[in-house]
């Protein structure tokens, strides 16, 4: 009888220790995630001082921060530690980057630009993704280091 009671008590003690350890680990991860979120937001706000309607969403690999600046849609990604991974600036048709338009359009005189995104990553030059439309097709161009590359070409039905 004493062995049975001792076994039951020992089992309860082991369960209690396991539960406490799990809860401590969970709280520790939660604290790390909160610190990383704070770091990501601080970095974003430093980089984009006039951002409005900022929303942060957790992702599998870290955080995605979405905002708007002067009509541009901004999406920045941060890793699990809150370090910046990339930023995509979406340009509306009324606020396209004129310099990029002049570089991209000479070979596509019968096309008009429908949208443009600027992609920035740490240590890399900016890459522009330019979406154009003509009477018979849609094209996606990549402009990097003043070089234009056709990425996609879709024929209209």
């Amino acid at each position: 009888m004493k062995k049975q009671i001792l076994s039951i008590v020992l089992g309860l003690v082991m369960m209690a220790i396991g539960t406490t350890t799990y809860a401590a680990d969970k709280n520790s991860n939660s604290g790390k995630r909160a610190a990383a979120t704070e770091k990501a937001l601080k970095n974003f706000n430093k980089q984009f001082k006039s951002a409005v309607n900022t929303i942060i969403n957790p992702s599998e690999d870290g955080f995605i921060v979405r905002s708007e600046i002067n009509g541009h849609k901004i999406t920045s990604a941060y890793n699990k530690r809150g370090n910046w991974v990339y930023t995509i600036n979406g340009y509306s048709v009324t606020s396209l980057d004129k310099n990029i338009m002049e570089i991209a359009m000479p070979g596509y005189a019968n096309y008009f630009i429908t949208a443009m995104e600027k992609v920035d990553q740490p240590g890399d030059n900016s890459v522009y993704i330019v979406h154009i439309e003509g009477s018979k097709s849609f094209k996606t161009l990549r402009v990097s280091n003043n070089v234009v590359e056709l990425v996609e070409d879709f024929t209209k039905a």
Side-chain angles (χ1 to χ4, degrees), residues 90-156:
Y91 293 88
S92 65
V93 176
T94 58
S95 64
L96 297 173
D97 188 323
K98 304 296 184 216
N99 295 330
I100 299 303
M101 289 172 56
E102 290 173 4
I103 294 168
M105 294 310 291
Y108 301 97
N110 295 328
Y111 288 82
F112 62 93
I113 297 176
T114 58
M116 182 186 307
E117 293 91 25
K118 176 184 173 188
V119 181
D120 291 308
Q121 291 181 294
D124 287 336
N125 291 332
S126 296
V127 174
Y128 291 84
I129 306 299
V130 182
H131 306 275
I132 60 176
E133 180 178 349
S135 61
K136 297 180 181 179
S137 67
F138 299 98
K139 297 183 185 301
T140 302
L141 309 173
R142 178 182 13 231
V143 180
S144 178
N145 297 324
N146 295 332
V147 175
V148 180
E149 177 185 355
L150 179 63
V151 178
E152 295 177 320
D153 188 358
F154 298 105
T155 304
K156 291 183 178 180

Side-chain angles (χ1 to χ4, degrees), residues 2-71:
K2 285 184 182 181
K3 286 184 181 181
Q4 288 178 340
I5 293 174
L6 185 59
S7 296
I8 292 172
V9 170
L10 186 57
L12 290 173
V13 168
M14 293 302 288
M15 286 178 23
I17 290 172
T19 304
T20 304
T21 303
Y22 174 77
D25 287 346
K26 191 173 181 181
N27 288 339
S28 174
N29 287 339
S30 175
K32 287 179 184 177
R33 188 151 181 97
T37 303
E38 186 176 320
K39 180 179 177 181
L41 279 174
K42 183 177 178 181
N43 179 300
F44 184 85
N45 289 331
K46 182 179 178 183
Q47 189 174 5
F48 303 105
K49 291 180 173 62
S50 59
V52 295
N53 301 325
T54 302
I55 298 169
I56 187 165
N57 295 315
S59 74
E60 187 175 311
D61 297 324
F63 311 94
I64 303 294
V65 181
R66 290 180 171 79
S67 192
E68 223 177 281
I69 299 174
N70 300 328

